[in-house]
Amino acid sequence: MDYAHRQPHQAAAQVAADRKAHGKPGRMDAHLAMVGHVHNVAMAVDLRRRFWVSLLLTPPVLFLSPLIQHELGLGGALRFRGDGLVLIALSSMIYVYGGWPFLTGFLAELRHRQPSMMTLVAVAISVAYFYSVAVSFGLSGVSFFWEVVTLIDVTLLGQWVETRSVIGASRAVEELARLLPDTALKLDAQGNTQEVLTTALQLGDRVLVRPGARTPADGVIMEGESFFNEATLTGESRPVSKKTGDVVIGGALNGAGAVTIEVKASGDKTYLSQVIELVRRAQASRSDTQDVASRAAGWLTYIALIAGVGSLSFWLIAGPHYEFAVERMVTVMVIACPHALGLAVPLVIAVSTALSAGSGLLIRDRSAFERARDLTVVVFDKTGTLTEGQFGVTDIILLAGGDEAEELRFAASVESQSDHPIALGIVAAARERSIAIRHPSSVRDIAGEGIVAAVEGQEISVVSPRHLARQDKAIGDPRLRELEAQGKTVVVSVRSGEPRALFALTDIVRPESNEAVARLKKLGIRPMMLTGDAEGVARIISAELGIDQYIAGVLPDQKAAKIKQLRNSGLRVAMVGDGVNDAPALLEADLGVAIGAGTDVAVESADVVLVRSDPRDVAAILGLSRATYAKIMQNLIWATAYNAVAIPMAAGITFGTGFLVTPAIGALLMSASTIIVALNAQLLRFYRTKAEPAHVPSQ
């Protein structure tokens, strides 16, 4: 595939399309992934060179043009033998050298059967140039050489400025890639350091990270402790304290302490590499809105061609001179170039993707992210999302006498084989009391209800009260109702078929959850809570957070059905969960948000991955979706309104008023329109995702 004549904003998408055509839609190696950026840089350098050369040759063309001499009152002062040939030669040099990007781009658009900006500019400068050559060799009329060269100059300048804007918007991947150091200090078995390439690191290697250096790979701290700045990676503004056993992210900046880490992920498996890949895919992907804009740009090209030919025909019949008719056609072609319309969406997408990635808000599905602006309900999974997911035992109620320590020992032994937050809380309570935990056998889960195992020859199960109620073994002890009324989660320890004890636990509400709910309400979105806990627990936590609606007692395999019911009722629903247990519900929702993914950014069931365990980021991503859409609409409205006004003016509707748009002025207006769109996209960078409630910017 030839990339030489693709427009700047098409390069990355073209690379992705070619990669997909060769059977590799999800993996782009470093060389191909950087083609779009390298193409834009090379094009900017080329456009700059062509602009300055053309500009340098322009003054002689202007002063040698008879019309300019007449307007300046110079008479024949600048005339000399052969001046007409010099004028043709200089104009031809500018036409060929300065107009080369447009002429070759025109051929490329014809080859792909996608006429657009290059077609209009090439037709405009070619008609004016060849008409002027014909006049110079005897055709009656006035030459347009000065119009041709100034048109090329202004259009080259506009293309150069625009390409620089595109480079700025697409620099996110390059900046992320620079976070990872080129080399690392690898430790051998004797503790000696050797400087090696970061790409040579293997799993299990130990690496020394000195103060002020960036970590070369994802790993676990084996020795030392320090603070790490992860702001550029996860959006966490404050340095994060890390000690032995903690995970560190490749690219994080180490603070004052030297640490030794063991490499757990390297190459394309690291967090940073996954983020870079997501940013590349998001920036290269096409959205629904972009497709609409592209189709509109295509139609605008045909409208401009028709309007140009139509204005030529009209003024040939009704106009004062046929050179006036040619000038009108050229102006229409130039002023109607659909570049602003074509750039309206992709530039905003590039900026919003970079902005979100730098804040730990990773977009996996661009279309779903754009649709997030229309959401009406956000459903939160409770445990681990709105709460810390860390339970602590507050009460132990004996139902059949006995000893608390003994019942806790049996329950903790069974729960030691589970990683459920409730299980972890019971095990932690046993360890706090220095109670020996036995190794259970015949362990099996009861889906969404508890766990059962054999301990010391006895069958022990730790289950929810409702599980026993469904088996007609409901707990009648009034203390159960009292504990549930306090918002505590209660499980029952059953030994040899007999309920022996109640364990009451509480889950700590995240301090950020109240603000997260408040931000959603400011956005006009209704927050809901979905939980497997009992009614009393759900009611109390919902009241504490200001959530008006909740769904309690939902088993894991029922969550997707609940989301479907909400969607069937006409609501636009986002589901927020941990991306593992909630995978079916995330897929069922209009927008699936995996929260607290940490270094595991490849959560396949989610449309958006939030790296931090901060529910406020949900409001941030929804607010950013609205702000992005607002910027896209502003650009599309501007590009459309500009053409609606400019095309009739270019065609000569203002004839008789004393004001006419010349081709050069038309090129200036077209370039200004494109630059306005590019600058407006850059204003999205001022959107703040963390420090204040999410909102749609007013600029």
Side-chain angles (χ1 to χ4, degrees):
M1 173 62 69
D2 176 18
Y3 296 99
H5 303 130
R6 302 296 289 169
Q7 294 181 32
H9 62 280
Q10 295 173 315
Q14 183 64 56
V15 173
D18 288 352
R19 194 69 166 165
K20 185 174 181 179
H22 287 83
K24 299 178 181 179
R27 308 299 305 166
M28 299 200 315
D29 57 45
H31 173 69
L32 284 179
M34 294 304 294
V35 165
H37 181 72
V38 173
H39 176 277
N40 288 336
V41 173
M43 178 174 280
V45 172
D46 182 64
L47 288 170
R48 179 184 62 189
R49 182 172 57 249
R50 292 180 187 276
F51 167 72
W52 286 116
V53 170
S54 299
L55 186 65
L56 184 64
L57 296 175
T58 295
V61 173
L62 295 179
F63 287 114
L64 289 175
S65 296
L67 182 62
I68 298 297
Q69 292 183 21
H70 175 73
E71 292 294 330
L72 294 178
L74 297 177
L78 299 179
R79 299 298 301 273
F80 58 89
R81 185 178 178 83
D83 61 348
L85 294 177
V86 174
L87 177 61
I88 294 175
L90 291 174
S91 301
S92 298
M93 291 173 61
I94 296 175
Y95 171 75
V96 174
Y97 183 74
W100 186 256
F102 311 111
L103 299 174
T104 53
F106 164 58
L107 295 176
E109 289 180 354
L110 286 185
R111 189 164 57 247
H112 292 94
R113 298 180 181 178
Q114 294 178 338
S116 188
M117 173 187 175
M118 299 300 177
T119 298
L120 297 182
V121 174
V123 170
I125 62 175
S126 296
V127 168
Y129 171 76
F130 287 111
Y131 170 79
S132 299
V133 170
V135 169
S136 298
F137 284 100
L139 181 69
S140 176
V142 179
S143 68
F144 286 132
F145 284 127
W146 72 275
E147 293 276 25
V148 173
V149 297
T150 53
L151 172 55
I152 290 174
D153 289 344
V154 174
T155 310
L156 280 174
L157 177 62
Q159 283 284 97
W160 175 26
V161 174
E162 173 206 315
T163 305
R164 288 176 59 86
S165 298
V166 173
I167 292 171
S170 62
R171 195 172 287 148
V173 172
E174 183 183 5
E175 291 176 350
L176 286 171
R178 286 177 178 171
L179 294 178
L180 209 61
D182 295 326
T183 60
L185 294 177
K186 180 180 175 181
L187 293 167
D188 59 22
Q190 289 73 40
N192 300 316
T193 61
Q194 178 186 3
E195 189 172 24
V196 299
L197 292 175
T198 300
T199 53
L201 292 177
Q202 303 290 328
L203 298 185
D205 286 349
R206 294 203 172 194
V207 178
L208 176 66
V209 184
R210 290 172 174 167
R214 291 191 180 273
T215 53
D218 294 354
V220 175
I221 296 179
M222 307 305 293
E223 296 179 20
E225 60 180 277
S226 184
F227 284 89
F228 287 81
N229 187 338
E230 301 176 347
T232 313
L233 297 162
T234 67
E236 179 59 62
S237 58
R238 293 173 297 180
V240 182
S241 175
K242 303 278 187 178
K243 60 184 184 301
T244 302
D246 288 342
V247 174
V248 291
I249 301 174
L253 183 64
N254 187 18
V259 297
T260 299
I261 69 168
E262 181 176 314
V263 176
K264 295 298 182 182
S266 61
D268 61 359
K269 301 298 183 183
T270 63
Y271 168 83
L272 183 58
S273 294
Q274 294 179 74
V275 171
I276 289 173
E277 183 67 11
L278 286 178
V279 173
R280 285 171 178 161
R281 292 185 196 178
Q283 289 190 344
S285 64
R286 296 185 66 82
S287 66
D288 297 338
T289 310
Q290 185 175 342
D291 288 336
V292 172
S294 297
R295 287 195 297 271
W299 278 108
L300 180 59
T301 300
Y302 293 114
I303 291 172
L305 290 171
I306 294 171
V309 174
S311 62
L312 174 66
S313 302
F314 175 81
W315 291 113
L316 282 176
I317 298 172
H321 307 286
Y322 58 82
E323 61 265 24
F324 179 83
V326 172
E327 184 183 58
R328 292 304 93 213
M329 184 188 74
V330 170
T331 306
V332 169
M333 295 292 189
V334 173
I335 210 166
C337 288
H339 229 200
L341 193 56
L343 283 172
V345 178
L347 276 180
V348 176
I349 287 177
V351 173
S352 70
T353 303
L355 180 64
S356 61
S359 302
L361 318 174
L362 307 179
I363 300 168
R364 296 189 69 254
D365 187 320
R366 166 62 52 182
S367 295
F369 169 72
E370 290 185 3
R371 292 194 299 270
R373 68 183 185 274
D374 296 325
L375 291 174
T376 55
V377 174
V378 172
V379 179
F380 289 95
D381 177 61
K382 179 184 77 70
T383 306
T385 302
L386 293 173
T387 63
E388 296 282 0
Q390 298 177 354
F391 285 81
V393 176
T394 59
D395 303 271
I396 300 177
I397 306 296
L398 299 175
L399 299 175
D403 179 63
E404 277 191 11
E406 181 182 28
E407 297 303 332
L408 182 57
R409 176 170 60 86
F410 278 114
S413 297
V414 175
E415 296 285 25
S416 66
Q417 301 303 300
S418 172
D419 58 359
H420 191 280
I422 291 177
L424 297 177
I426 292 176
V427 171
R431 287 176 175 162
E432 287 174 4
R433 301 188 187 192
S434 300
I435 296 175
I437 298 175
R438 307 298 182 188
H439 184 73
S441 60
S442 304
V443 180
R444 68 180 189 276
D445 284 324
I446 306 173
E449 302 283 9
I451 190 172
V452 59
V455 179
E456 297 179 358
Q458 301 183 65
E459 184 179 85
I460 311 295
S461 58
V462 181
V463 296
S464 65
R466 64 176 179 272
H467 175 70
L468 294 177
R470 279 194 284 269
Q471 295 181 329
D472 296 326
K473 297 178 182 179
I475 304 297
D477 194 309
R479 289 174 291 183
L480 171 62
R481 308 291 174 262
E482 293 174 6
L483 292 171
E484 290 181 337
Q486 296 171 19
K488 297 179 179 180
T489 298
V490 182
V491 294
V492 186
S493 176
V494 180
R495 180 148 49 108
S496 300
E498 180 184 0
R500 302 289 303 215
L502 302 177
F503 293 89
L505 304 93
T506 57
D507 187 6
I508 303 170
V509 174
R510 292 185 184 279
E512 307 89 0
S513 295
N514 281 286
E515 186 178 352
V517 170
R519 288 187 180 189
L520 287 175
K521 289 183 175 180
K522 285 185 178 180
L523 288 172
I525 298 173
R526 177 168 29 126
M528 292 179 61
M529 187 177 72
L530 187 65
T531 178
D533 287 341
E535 176 79 16
V537 178
R539 182 178 64 254
I540 289 177
I541 292 183
S542 294
E544 180 180 346
L545 294 175
I547 296 176
D548 300 323
Q549 188 174 355
Y550 60 85
I551 305 174
V554 181
L555 297 178
D557 59 352
Q558 297 174 340
K559 290 181 179 180
K562 296 296 183 183
I563 297 298
K564 186 175 183 178
Q565 289 177 10
L566 292 173
R567 293 184 64 203
N568 289 341
S569 67
L571 299 174
R572 298 295 300 273
V573 183
M575 172 67 192
V576 184
D578 61 14
V580 180
N581 297 329
D582 302 314
L586 294 179
L587 289 170
E588 181 63 42
D590 294 295
L591 180 74
V593 181
I595 190 172
T599 59
D600 183 21
V601 301
V603 184
E604 295 299 325
S605 55
D607 301 311
V608 175
V609 178
L610 307 181
V611 176
R612 306 189 308 166
S613 296
D614 189 340
R616 292 177 298 181
D617 286 346
V618 177
I621 200 70
L622 301 186
L624 181 58
S625 172
R626 293 185 178 185
T628 300
Y629 184 73
K631 278 286 169 235
I632 289 174
M633 286 298 102
Q634 289 168 14
N635 278 358
L636 289 178
I637 290 172
W638 166 257
T640 304
Y642 155 78
N643 281 288
V645 174
I647 291 177
M649 291 179 62
I653 197 173
T654 57
F655 180 74
T657 65
F659 172 77
L660 281 174
V661 179
T662 65
I665 294 176
L668 185 63
L669 291 175
M670 181 271 292
S671 298
S673 175
T674 303
I675 293 170
I676 287 172
V677 165
L679 292 177
N680 189 48
Q682 296 296 330
L683 290 177
L684 188 61
R685 294 187 183 277
F686 294 98
Y687 179 81
R688 304 181 66 184
T689 61
K690 299 293 177 187
E692 61 188 19
H695 64 284
V696 178
S698 58
Q699 73 263 15

